[in-house]
Amino acid sequence: MTSNLFLTRASFAADLAHFGDRPAVLTEGSTLSYRELAGRVEAFAARLGTQRRLVALAAANDLDSLIAYLAALTAGHPLILVPGDKPAALDSIVAAYDPDVVLRSGGFPSFEERRPGTVHELHPELALLVSTSGSTGSPKLVRLSHENLQSNAEAIAGYLAIGPEDRAATTLPLSYCYGLSVINSHLLRGAGLVLTDLSVVDPCFWELFRAHGVSSFAAVPYTFELLERVGFAALDLPSLRYVTQAGGRLAPEQVRRYAALGSERGWDLFVMYGATEATARMAYLPPDLAASHPGTIGIAVPGGAFRIDPVPGLDDGELVYTGPNVMLGYAEVPADLALGRTVEELRTGDLARRHPNGLYEVVGRRSRFLKIVGLRVDLGQVERILDGLGVRALSTGTDERLVVAAEGGADVRLLGKVLAQQLGLPRAAVEVHGVDRLPRLSSGKPDYPAVLALAAASVGAVQEEPSAGDGPEDLRRIYAEHLECGAVRDEDTFVSLGGDSLSYVALSVRLEKVLGALPADWHLMRVGDLARPARKAYPARRFLAPLETSIVLRAVAIIFIISTHVGLFTWPGTAHVLMAVAGYNFARFQLAGERVARLRRQIRSLGRIVVPSVAFIAFAYLVTDRYSLANIALLNSLIGPRHVTAEWQFWFVEVLVYVLIFLLALLALPWVDRAERAAPFAFPLALTALGMLGRYDLPHISVPHTAPVLWLVGLGWLMARSRTTLQRAVVTVIAVLSVPGFFDDAAREATLLGGLLLLTWLPAIPLPRRLHRPVGVLASSSLYAYLTHWLVFPLLEPFSPALAVGASLAAGVVYWALTQRIVGAAGRVRARRAPGPRKAPVTETASTR
């Protein structure tokens, strides 16, 4: 339905081989030359085919995504870019535009060819389609041509004087026009790209920065806040040549400060102004003027020009930009892909003035847009989203927070979460207030200042409310106590601080007691965001509240395991449910950050299992004659007796450790790490398939007295990665087909299957709030109760099985609490002895990359 011809190619993508053996892409463990990159791009372009097709790419900051992007450009396939970490955004684009090919986080591992040809009419100039300023909640896309991309890359490379010796780190997402412009402009000049998704608060990022001699650093305003926290001013960065800033207005005092710092340390600060509709950049402030004119956006980029059109009733006019990088126009439906140029200039919507020296200054916005953490938020779209949910609302806010008034008795907490997800904003940046009636002026028009006042009133009310234990300092203390670290900062998250399944339960219960109901993704939220007083505006607590299914399963399983061993009642099968829970939690807590950061976290988590287990088993070895040195070394399953003895009592711990060591070793391989990132659902699916070999004893290798569990751990991992109904259905089918026959015990298999289905389909189970803490304590101490009960229950079983069960659980709680105190104290001692401030860990906020 479309021609194979298109008008131009962007040379920065098509002429890669021109730079020969110069380094093009540098990662933590490898370097790819321009010649090699060109070969991979050519191979992938061949896979896309010669007939032009519409391609959608869920892009990450990885090599596969870069290759797919460049291949689509060189082969002339119009490409829709969406963030790889927002599945809902891709689903929305696929539903709205029906692409012919869908690529998820990089190409080869997830090449979904939906049809051999195309059903679309594609204009010859169309090269790229992207959401405005990183917005992911709307199918409205910017249509960019090859000329747009090429001209803007040339302009940027020109005023930044990018040369072949330069190297840029991917501190911003490839799917964001600012991040993409860094890639385009550097490839144009044969410079190197240091591909990474590490956050700037991760020490590993700066190690990579220095190791590869990075010369340019791209930042949005929020990035500068993080730089303050990592002590950027004191970092030794001899290769740094310049810092660029865009993505929103940086406060003039910050511009002055960083311009002065750059002058002192030998690098330049380029303040820039742009929009997706202009492919990226429209203006830049020459570094020598940053200190004296910090409030301006500077001058137009080479090839571009500004004018200011009057706005009736206002002193300042609207800034209008013209240049070869101005988009072809917008697309809102597939038919728009056939359109050519529909705009000749870009009306920015910003109110501006021109200084006598020729510098432009933006003084306000004409239309109703906010820019929060570098993302442009259309307030009209916010109200349309809520209207689609049957909620009448008004929205306003600042460049720090979206404020919404919702009419009626809607669940404001749920609405806030929905808006954050659809708009791609941090949850803490969305504030929803319930009102009886929407505020309006006497004329009947919406009273937006009254909506904004709701935020101030909420904070004021909270500050007057006497409460203890809910301030930032208290939350940081709680995190430090539970995660055995000496200091916690506002930008830290549970995952970045090394939290795992053992510490997750106790901390979540403690936080819920302090803050009320927690968001489902609280373990990925910054401590500072959880501590915000606005959380007090949430509805009053109800009798029942949801508790995560994985937590409930852990508590129930340890009760059933001990009761079965004691003989209070018999209900086998729950130990293998816990194996699936282990895989589920491994995927949630152990897979964040770069490979080295992951490995460190996985080793720490493994140590939290091995150390208390070995310590207790050694104690049991000394006070009884039941166990051997093989038990202490956790090797009984491999070298212990082949017949059933007491030495087999710790099989669960041993096999769990074996599986975790296998996963740690597997993910330590760089190519495996890349495969897992590129295919987050397919990878555990393959791991489950590998585990099925043991499940069905295909190699005829088995460990006596234990059942193979890798497939269960893989299934748990797969459950954690299931984002859609189809994916959960796939997991269900695998479970239903593989569980029967596993034990040759129908009741035991029903227990295992029931646990798997609960974990797959029911994220939380409503429980009385009074039970949350005891259930959480039992779940947290489940490993310790499993260890200790072997010594406790034989002493009491002859008198009372129920007492034996209760005492075994209590002993586990005591051992858990004792271990927590010892490890916490050790962590604080290490922190006090460590030189200098604690190294800041990785945070997973996409906008800071």
Side-chain angles (χ1 to χ4, degrees), residues 595 599 602 662-673:
R595 183 171 61 91
L599 294 178
Q602 290 159 15
F662 168 73
L663 296 179
L664 192 155
L666 187 66
L667 291 169
L669 300 173
W671 67 270
V672 175
D673 180 79

Side-chain angles (χ1 to χ4, degrees), residues 574-591:
T574 53
H576 286 80
V577 173
L578 289 182
M579 286 294 180
V581 173
Y584 180 82
N585 287 328
F586 182 88
R588 296 176 71 200
F589 307 130
Q590 303 303 320
L591 298 178

Side-chain angles (χ1 to χ4, degrees), residues 150-353:
Q150 181 70 20
S151 65
N152 206 228
E154 291 175 350
I156 295 170
Y159 69 75
L160 293 179
I162 298 174
E165 301 302 323
D166 279 311
R167 290 181 178 177
T170 53
T171 53
L172 302 164
L174 187 149
S175 57
Y176 176 32
C177 71
Y178 183 10
L180 195 63
S181 71
V182 173
I183 289 172
N184 296 347
S185 56
H186 282 75
L187 291 178
L188 177 71
R189 294 293 180 86
L193 293 173
V194 179
L195 269 184
T196 179
D197 63 354
L198 286 171
S199 167
V200 299
V201 297
D202 190 337
C204 295
F205 172 84
W206 298 106
E207 293 171 10
L208 191 69
F209 194 103
R210 283 185 284 264
H212 289 304
V214 173
S215 58
S216 69
F217 180 90
V220 296
Y222 180 65
T223 312
F224 289 89
E225 294 182 27
L226 300 181
L227 293 180
E228 295 285 332
R229 294 165 184 163
V230 300
F232 175 75
L235 292 179
D236 181 25
L237 306 172
S239 61
L240 182 60
R241 189 167 68 83
Y242 61 86
V243 173
T244 63
Q245 180 272 317
R249 184 175 183 267
L250 187 64
E253 58 271 20
Q254 286 285 73
V255 174
R256 286 195 186 93
R257 180 179 176 192
Y258 278 91
L261 177 63
S263 177
E264 176 187 332
R265 303 301 295 269
W267 48 263
D268 291 325
L269 173 68
F270 284 86
V271 174
M272 306 190 301
Y273 169 81
T276 309
E277 291 88 342
T279 314
R281 306 274 69 83
M282 291 182 282
Y284 73 99
L285 181 61
D288 59 336
L289 299 177
S292 57
H293 298 81
T296 68
I297 61 171
I299 58 176
V301 301
F306 286 119
R307 74 169 189 273
I308 296 178
D309 283 357
V311 176
L314 296 177
D315 295 333
D316 298 296
E318 182 179 10
L319 189 64
V320 181
Y321 175 81
T322 57
N325 53 318
V326 172
M327 64 176 178
L328 299 175
Y330 290 110
E332 298 188 74
V333 294
D336 293 339
L337 305 181
L339 298 176
R341 180 168 292 281
T342 57
V343 297
E344 298 294 336
E345 58 186 17
L346 179 60
R347 307 194 70 84
T348 65
D350 287 330
L351 301 175
R353 60 184 63 143

Side-chain angles (χ1 to χ4, degrees), residues 1-9 49-53 72-78 118 120-127 146 337:
M1 299 207 37
T2 186
S3 168
N4 289 340
L5 300 176
F6 60 103
L7 295 182
T8 59
R9 275 193 176 101
T50 56
Q51 182 182 4
R52 292 185 77 213
R53 297 190 286 177
L73 288 185
T74 58
H77 301 284
T118 185
H120 300 288
E121 191 69 35
L122 304 172
H123 192 273
E125 292 185 47
L126 184 61
H146 290 266
L337 305 181

Side-chain angles (χ1 to χ4, degrees), residues 636 640-648 704-705:
N636 182 74
R642 314 316 278 175
H643 57 283
V644 178
T645 69
E647 294 169 61
W648 281 92
H705 318 308

